[in-house]
Each structure stands twice: as C-alpha cells, then as structure tokens.
C-alpha cells in the first residue's frame, strides 16, 4: 500500500494569493519527504476542517457552514453528506434567502436519557462556522463510496459520526437525507470516543455477512454495531479498561483510541499528554492550552480471554499505528516495500483536540512520532517547519486513486 501523507496547515505568509491559494491543499509524503500541492474542489480548502479520514483515501470535511462532505483529495471526487440541521439536537435558523445564519445546539443531561423540558439546558446559539468545532468529534468512514455504471452514481458508503453533546453516534448511508442516531436516545449516554470498522473475518476465521463497527467509550468499554441495520442494538464486546496514569481521569489530557490488530484482537491506546504551560505559575484559558504527548499505555484484548491486558510495543509486531482524527490504523511495515518511510514500533499522532475555533487558529498542533522503544517524540521527517502553522489542524491521509 501507499505510504501515508500528512495534510499540512496553510502557511499564512505564503506569497501565492487569490483563489489559487485558497483552493489548494498541501500534503507531506512520508515516503519521499516532499510536499505535494493539489488543487481541491469547492468549497475552498482553506475553509475546511477535516474531522475524519479512511484507509480508502477519503476525508470527511466540514466547510465554513459546518456542512459535511466526503472528499478524495487526490482525485477531487466529492459527495455531500446530510445537512448538519438533520442531527436530532441541531436546529438551523435561516435568513430570508434560505441560507443558515446560525445553529441552535440543544443539550440534554438527564440521567435516564430522556429529554423532558426540565432536563434541557438552554439552547446554545452558534455561528454557521462554529458548529463544527462543538459537535463533530470524529467521523469514521464505515464503507467507502464506489461508482456504478451507467449513471456513475456513488453508492455503498456509510459514515459514522461521533458527535457532541455527550459523544452520541449518528450514521448516514448512501441515499440518506438525514443523520440517524445509532445509539438509543432514551438510554444514558455512553460518551463514545473512537470507532473502527472491523474486518470481514471473525476470530474463528469465518467470514461475516456484515462488516461490524467497534466503538469504545470514555470508560474503555467496547461495543459492536451493525451499521447496515436501521435500528439494531449494539453488542457488548469488551469490559471497561482504565490506565494507571492520573491524567486518564482528565479527558483533555488523555485520549483513547481503538485499533483492530487482527480478527479477535483489539488494541486500546491511551495517549498521555501534559500541558506545555505547566512550568508557568499562571494557567491560560483552556481553549488556548497547549498539550504535548508524553507517552502511551497499551492494552490488548483477545476473544479467547475476553479481558484487557497491559501490553508493550512488541504487541505491534513491527507495525506502526496512525492515530488522530484519521481512521485508527495499524499499518504493516517491512523491507519489502510496505509503507516506505514509516518506522515500525512507532505511533504517528496528529492533534485531535479538545478543539475550538481559538485552539485551531492559535495553538500549535500536537503532531509527532512516538518511538515505543526509547520513548522519544519528534515531528515527522520534513514536517517541523510546516507545523509552526495552525490551520487547518493536520490529519493523516492514505492516498488512493480508486473510484
């Protein structure tokens, strides 16, 4: 497979101007150490926030009006996803011309999950461009789009959206006009934090009829979902998993990721971070807080035991992890040409929050390569200068020309 690329922030001091500057995106090839500049379709690349990417080459982007699209940045293929206002807790307020002027975000914190009037906090009003920071936690491409003749229509795709408030799950499939909640709206929120599509093979080697999706919540519990079904309850897969670090109790300082190592084997990665300003006596506002990755804790689950067990870098078997807003992937690395430029036994991180408009535009993103053998954390080769810029936050891209 092709080696991953890193989608880079814009350089606000670049001399190229006009529409050309706004419509291109820059990608660093890890294999070559060089930057590719590729023109993107409208809306302007400069206005997009990437909230997910897949191993099939697709990005999930949110434009300046917080509308979501599937985009292949290599081929320029693009598909609109259902409007943001079709999420059950989002209301759109439109002007006389029909354009969205603001969004209303409704939150519910009832213990039983029901949203009676007494359980609602006041609706929060957000500008069209601000909703994307508050609602879109992460998007996972469950199945990639594919073209079918003779109409060249895009079919077969499905996108799972982890969305705030309370880390709910929403899904949109090909042909859907609106987002549908996947988890039970009447049940207590589980606060989902990551998801990964499973392989078609089961732990016993048999082939599944459907490709399930594994989701992990803030407590480290894992459930499996059939996103092909309209209203299918989840199936419990793995029990809670907590790390020993005190920072895991702080959602901003510890992020959890879920990776499928092989059928019947899951890996949970807890990313430990510290505030870069911790050495100062004063504490900046949270939206301006800089974090830096200090390490990880790894936990392996197997279908045979049904339990989480602490693991070290050897569990990767020489492979590498790519984590962030992108799909959480374990990538093979060897001397036979698999992912050139990528080092085994390392975790490749991009920044994934907590995001806000201020953080994304004013705080240097936490992007780096963590070597599990010596604990070092360095910028990807050739990226140090570009990571001085902030917007948009970098994301891993797995380039593909397939349609």
């Amino acid at each position: 497979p092709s080696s991953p690329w890193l989608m880079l922030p814009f350089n606000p001091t670049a001399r190229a101007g006009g529409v050309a500057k706004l419509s291109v995106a820059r990608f660093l090839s890890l294999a070559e150490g060089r930057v590719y500049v590729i023109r993107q379709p409208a809306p302007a690349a400069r206005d997009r926030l990437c909230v997910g990417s897949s191993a099939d080459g697709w990005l999930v982007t949110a434009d300046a009006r917080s509308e979501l699209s599937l985009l292949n940045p290599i081929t320029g293929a693009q598909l609109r996803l259902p409007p943001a206002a079709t999420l059950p807790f989002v209301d759109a307020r439109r002007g006389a011309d029909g354009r969205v002027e603001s969004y209303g975000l409704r939150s519910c914190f009832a213990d039983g999950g029901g949203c009676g009037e007494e359980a609602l906090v006041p609706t929060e009003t957000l500008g069209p461009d601000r909703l994307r920071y508050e609602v879109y936690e992460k998007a996972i491409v469950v199945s990639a789009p594919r073209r079918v003749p003779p109409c060249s229509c895009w079919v077969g795709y499905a996108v799972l959206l982890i969305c705030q408030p309370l880390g709910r799950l929403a899904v949109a499939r090909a042909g859907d006009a609106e987002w549908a909640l996947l988890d039970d709206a009447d049940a207590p929120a589980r606060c989902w934090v990551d998801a990964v599509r499973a392989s078609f093979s089961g732990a016993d080697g048999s082939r599944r009829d459907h490709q399930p999706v594994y989701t992990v919540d803030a407590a480290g519990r894992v459930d499996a979902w059939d996103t092909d079904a309209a209203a299918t309850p989840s199936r419990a897969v793995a029990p809670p998993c907590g790390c020993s670090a005190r920072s895991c109790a702080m959602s901003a300082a510890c992020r959890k990721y879920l990776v499928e190592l092989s059928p019947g084997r899951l890996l949970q990665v807890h990313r430990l971070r510290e505030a870069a300003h911790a050495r100062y006596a004063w504490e900046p506002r949270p939206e301006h807080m800089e974090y830096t990755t200090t390490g990880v804790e790894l936990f392996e689950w197997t279908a045979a035991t049904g339990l989480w067990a602490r693991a070290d870098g050897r569990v990767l078997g020489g492979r590498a992890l790519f984590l962030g807003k992108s799909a959480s992937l374990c990538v093979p690395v060897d001397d036979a040409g698999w992912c050139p430029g990528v080092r085994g036994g390392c975790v490749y991180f991009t920044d994934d929050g907590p995001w806000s408009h201020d953080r994304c535009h004013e705080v240097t993103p936490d992007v780096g390569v963590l070597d599990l053998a010596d604990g070092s954390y360095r910028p990807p080769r050739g990226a140090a200068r570009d990571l001085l810029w902030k917007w948009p936050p970098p994301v891993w891209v797995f380039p593909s020309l397939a349609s």
Side-chain angles (χ1 to χ4, degrees), residues 336-359:
W338 290 77
C339 291
V342 175
R343 293 186 293 134
C346 291
V347 186
Y348 289 73
F349 282 117
T350 55
D351 203 334
D352 61 353
W355 277 3
S356 67
H357 178 272
D358 290 341
R359 273 194 60 83

Side-chain angles (χ1 to χ4, degrees), residues 168-184:
R168 292 288 192 182
L169 297 176
V171 66
R173 309 171 185 88
D176 285 353
E178 60 185 35
W179 291 94
L181 283 183
L182 194 62
D183 50 347
D184 187 354

Side-chain angles (χ1 to χ4, degrees), residues 52-261:
S53 71
S54 76
D56 312 289
W58 292 88
L59 303 178
V60 183
T61 67
D63 64 21
R65 294 194 168 273
S66 297
E67 299 295 1
L68 291 166
S69 298
L70 274 168
L71 169 69
N72 185 322
I74 309 303
T75 66
Q78 182 171 230
L79 299 82
R80 281 285 190 182
L81 293 173
T86 63
L87 288 166
F89 38 79
V90 175
D91 297 317
R93 297 159 186 171
R94 303 179 184 275
D97 60 356
R99 296 169 65 91
V100 174
E101 294 184 341
S102 66
Y103 288 105
L105 178 60
R106 292 176 282 111
S107 301
C108 175
F109 297 95
D111 291 337
C115 279
E117 288 298 324
E118 70 281 0
L120 288 173
V121 301
T123 299
E124 183 179 6
T125 300
L126 300 168
D129 67 322
R130 302 301 174 102
L131 184 81
R132 53 184 174 174
Y133 304 105
E134 304 295 332
V135 172
Y136 306 145
E137 186 68 23
K138 185 173 183 176
I140 296 89
V141 181
V142 177
S143 54
R146 63 181 187 276
R147 284 190 187 274
V148 293
C151 65
S152 294
C153 302
W154 291 101
V155 300
Y157 61 89
V159 176
L160 181 68
L161 183 64
I162 302 176
C163 45
Q164 302 300 345
L166 304 180
R168 292 288 192 182
L169 297 176
V171 66
R173 309 171 185 88
D176 285 353
E178 60 185 35
W179 291 94
L181 283 183
L182 194 62
D183 50 347
D184 187 354
D186 294 324
R190 288 279 297 275
C191 295
W192 304 104
V193 295
D194 197 15
V196 61
R197 64 185 184 189
S199 63
F200 275 109
S201 298
D204 58 359
S206 61
R207 185 171 177 82
R208 300 185 175 106
D209 293 331
H210 299 286
Q211 189 176 21
V213 176
Y214 294 128
T215 57
V216 59
D217 65 15
R221 294 171 294 189
V222 177
D223 281 18
W225 303 81
D226 179 5
T227 57
D228 292 329
T232 302
S234 63
R235 172 177 57 86
V237 173
C241 173
C243 65
S244 60
R246 187 180 70 174
S247 60
C248 253
M250 303 169 55
S251 61
C254 176
R255 306 290 286 186
K256 293 181 175 69
Y257 307 91
L258 187 65
V259 178
E260 186 183 45
L261 294 173

